Amino acid sequence: MTLSFIALAGPTASGKTAAALAIAERWPSEIISMDSALVYRGMNIGTAKPSAAELASVPHHLIDIRDPIRAYSAAEFARDAGRLMGEIAARGRLPLLVGGTMLYLKALIDGLDDMPQADPAARARIAQEAATKGWPALHAELAGVDALTAARLQPNDSQRISRALEVFRVSGQPLSSFQKNTPKNIAATQGQMRATALISLEPADRAWLHARIARRFDDMLSAGLLDEVRALRARGDLHPELPAIRCVGYRQAWDYLDAVAVGNALDPLAPGGLRDLGIFATRQLAKRQLTWLRSMPQRQLVPCDAADAQDRVLQAVHIAMQMPVQKESVPT
């Protein structure tokens, strides 16, 4: 069986939620979140989670499905999304994937190789080494065992350096060797996945996106982001190396509260304070997302800063919905 879907992607703060709701108003749809932060419960403000009214207006999936103590992988997303798309299609509705975690989309369409599962003990040892040596030193170590992966990472990209070293230490093989192998389509058990359209919201003027990112982070601070992170810290079982706490905004707020605890914190709104760090980290995230998207030639680009951006999205969906689904063989 061939499963068709619409994917609506774009960098953070590009207007994906509003565009998705507009699509759902015109075509019977169910939204599958393609966002690695929205899966976590108790993390609402810093993830810009859709409001209760937005969630109630159209069925949403893969939101609030994990406690922050438990990681959620791209492989799990591919399996869950593949199952959900079959169920949604069986209900006669359109599966609408919405988000900016492009690894999730790649996993769904192309599959992923069988990389080692997360090893908390190995990850903890790497974090301890980083605290002593610094991430640039670990980046240099990575270059010695996996030059291909190290070449595409910045020396302070703690999350990705940690994972690459963890994979090597657990398996004895570099991360790049897994990524070069023939992909295994995890979703093949549900059938061939085919994006009827991949619509990408991208700014013609990067300054427009930067301004939206700054306004949204200000709104998060005003809405109580620090209180939300204080509540997460108060649990006592969470720490900064968890994927949930490494999410943009949360890691910066966690570090700020660490500094408060030792009396070494700048005012959050002061130059170089939490606001500046959070906005900078979010801009870096948006840059990485745009790089992913530009590597996908099949995408249909819609300038998210255009006055008629939403109308263009709807037109792209309208055209895609008229296209017959091509029959393709299911990969083995």
Side-chain angles (χ1 to χ4, degrees):
M1 179 179 66
T2 299
L3 296 179
S4 298
F5 58 93
I6 299 290
L8 179 62
T12 185
S14 59
K16 297 183 294 294
T17 297
L21 294 175
I23 293 170
E25 285 180 359
R26 289 158 178 78
W27 290 274
S29 308
E30 297 187 27
I31 293 173
I32 300 174
S33 171
M34 193 168 60
D35 189 299
S36 61
L38 295 187
V39 299
Y40 296 115
R41 294 188 289 270
M43 297 174 57
N44 302 324
I45 297 171
T47 61
K49 199 166 286 181
S51 68
E54 289 169 336
L55 291 171
S57 67
V58 58
H60 284 70
H61 303 277
L62 303 187
I63 294 178
D64 288 338
I65 62 169
R66 280 287 165 92
D67 185 89
I69 195 68
R70 294 181 58 212
Y72 186 71
S73 69
E76 289 175 295
F77 171 83
R79 286 191 291 267
D80 291 343
R83 171 183 53 80
L84 286 165
M85 286 196 297
E87 295 170 359
I88 293 167
R91 291 192 284 268
R93 302 173 73 86
L94 172 68
L96 178 57
L97 274 68
V98 182
T101 303
M102 302 313 300
L103 179 60
Y104 281 10
L105 184 61
K106 174 178 170 55
L108 181 66
I109 295 174
D110 297 333
L112 293 172
D113 290 295
D114 296 326
M115 285 190 288
Q117 294 293 314
D119 186 319
R123 186 168 294 178
R125 287 192 294 271
I126 291 167
Q128 290 174 350
E129 292 175 29
T132 303
K133 303 176 184 177
W135 286 108
L138 293 190
H139 181 265
E141 177 185 330
L142 178 63
V145 297
D146 187 354
L148 286 175
T149 299
R152 63 181 178 80
L153 300 181
Q154 295 296 318
N156 288 308
D157 191 342
S158 59
Q159 179 176 350
R160 290 171 178 82
I161 294 169
S162 175
R163 177 56 178 161
L165 283 173
E166 177 189 344
V167 167
F168 179 77
R169 293 182 183 183
V170 169
S171 70
Q173 300 180 61
L175 178 65
S176 56
S177 71
F178 290 97
Q179 295 173 334
K180 287 193 298 182
N181 290 339
T182 301
K184 299 176 181 178
N185 197 328
I186 296 168
T189 54
Q190 285 84 27
Q192 178 74 24
M193 301 300 167
R194 178 183 180 275
T196 305
L198 168 54
I199 302 168
S200 181
L201 289 166
E202 302 174 30
D205 180 4
R206 193 75 63 90
W208 178 90
L209 185 64
H210 289 174
R212 281 178 61 93
I213 286 171
R215 285 196 301 271
R216 191 165 76 166
F217 198 76
D218 285 339
D219 290 343
M220 290 175 180
L221 289 174
S222 298
L225 173 61
L226 280 173
D227 288 336
E228 186 171 72
V229 177
R230 285 189 183 98
L232 294 170
R233 289 165 63 92
R235 289 177 37 156
D237 61 340
L238 303 179
H239 56 81
E241 298 309 313
L242 289 168
I245 306 305
R246 289 201 300 262
C247 289
V248 167
Y250 288 90
R251 182 58 186 264
Q252 290 73 35
W254 193 285
D255 289 346
Y256 167 77
L257 292 173
D258 278 346
V260 168
V262 297
N264 191 31
L266 292 172
D267 184 285
L269 303 182
L274 172 59
R275 179 182 183 272
D276 282 357
L277 294 174
I279 290 171
F280 177 77
T282 309
R283 286 185 181 184
Q284 293 299 107
L285 169 62
K287 182 179 179 181
R288 293 193 297 272
Q289 291 169 319
L290 287 166
T291 299
W292 264 99
L293 286 163
R294 288 167 183 163
S295 71
M296 306 178 83
Q298 74 272 34
R299 78 195 194 283
Q300 299 180 45
L301 194 155
V302 173
C304 53
D305 47 349
D308 62 344
Q310 196 169 104
D311 290 339
R312 295 194 197 188
V313 169
L314 295 174
Q315 179 64 17
V317 175
H318 174 75
I319 293 171
M321 295 294 285
Q322 313 308 311
M323 295 169 55
V325 174
Q326 301 295 321
K327 291 186 177 180
E328 303 174 34
S329 60
V330 175
T332 58

